Amino acid sequence: MSNHESTENELKTGRLTELARVCARAEARETEAMIGYRDSKYDQIAELEQPVQRQIELAAIASDIGQAMGLSEAQVHGRLASADRVREHTPRVWLAFRDGTINEARLREISSTVELLQRDESSVRLDQSVLAYAQSHTVFELRRWLRQFVDRVETDLAP
C-alpha cells in the first residue's frame, strides 16, 4: 500500500469515526429528551389529586414516548433505566455518552454492569476505568471486559 493510499484510508476511517460520534450524540439527545419528557410528566402528574388518575397517567408515559419514537414500552423503560443508573452511579460514563464518545449500546452494557455491582466503590472504580476500554473496543469485547471487571472487584462477594 502506498503512502497516498494509506493517507486516503485514514481519512476515510476518520470520517467513519466522526459519523459514529455524531450518531452517538444523537442517541444521547434522544435519551435526554426522553428523560426530560418523563420528568416533566412526573411533575404534572404529582399535581393530580386522584390516585387512580395518577396511576393511569404514569402508565401512559412509556407508551407516549414509545409511540413518538417508534419504540416498544419495554425499550423505553430499558433506555430510561439505563440512563438513570449511569447518571447516578457513573457520571463520567454519562458525560462520555453525551459527547458521543460512547454510544447507547455501550452505555447499556455499562449500565447492566452497574446494576450487578454491590459496592459504591466498585461503581466509582468502573467509572474511572471503563471509558478508555469502551472507546477502543467492540461491544462484545466490552461485555467480556465488564464481566472480568465484576469478577475482579467483587470476587469476595461471589457465592
Side-chain angles (χ1 to χ4, degrees):
M1 181 180 296
S2 72
N3 283 343
H4 174 72
E5 289 173 327
S6 177
T7 302
E8 190 174 302
N9 284 338
E10 288 174 18
L11 290 173
K12 288 178 183 175
T13 58
R15 177 74 176 133
L16 293 172
T17 300
E18 180 53 32
L19 289 171
R21 286 192 73 156
V22 168
C23 288
R25 283 192 295 270
E27 289 173 337
R29 298 296 86 74
E30 284 181 346
T31 301
E32 287 178 319
M34 291 168 63
I35 292 166
Y37 180 84
R38 178 202 60 194
D39 292 350
S40 173
K41 292 298 281 185
Y42 279 174
D43 291 344
Q44 292 172 9
I45 292 166
E47 295 177 12
L48 296 174
E49 291 184 26
Q50 299 293 324
V52 173
Q53 187 64 31
R54 279 197 301 267
Q55 287 301 106
I56 292 168
E57 294 294 325
L58 285 171
I61 293 172
S63 176
D64 292 346
I65 293 170
Q67 287 177 6
M69 298 185 69
L71 300 171
S72 71
E73 289 183 40
Q75 289 171 311
V76 171
H77 285 295
R79 284 181 70 172
L80 289 171
S82 288
D84 290 340
R85 195 175 302 115
V86 167
R87 287 188 322 158
E88 181 178 341
H89 298 286
T90 53
R92 289 179 180 149
V93 171
W94 179 251
L95 291 174
F97 176 56
R98 290 184 66 208
D99 77 11
T101 304
I102 62 167
N103 62 11
E104 201 266 332
R106 287 172 175 78
L107 180 88
R108 202 173 41 244
E109 293 297 331
I110 294 166
S111 174
S112 294
T113 299
V114 169
E115 189 173 28
L116 296 173
L117 297 173
Q118 297 180 38
R119 296 184 181 115
D120 290 339
E121 316 80 80
S122 298
S123 293
V124 170
R125 285 181 64 184
L126 178 65
D127 197 31
Q128 293 170 342
S129 61
V130 71
L131 290 175
Y133 194 88
Q135 292 173 49
S136 59
H137 291 80
T138 67
V139 173
F140 176 80
E141 291 167 331
L142 174 61
R143 190 177 303 128
R144 184 178 58 224
W145 185 92
L146 290 166
R147 280 194 303 268
Q148 292 170 348
F149 176 87
V150 172
D151 290 345
R152 189 172 59 250
V153 300
E154 296 199 341
T155 303
D156 60 311
L157 299 175

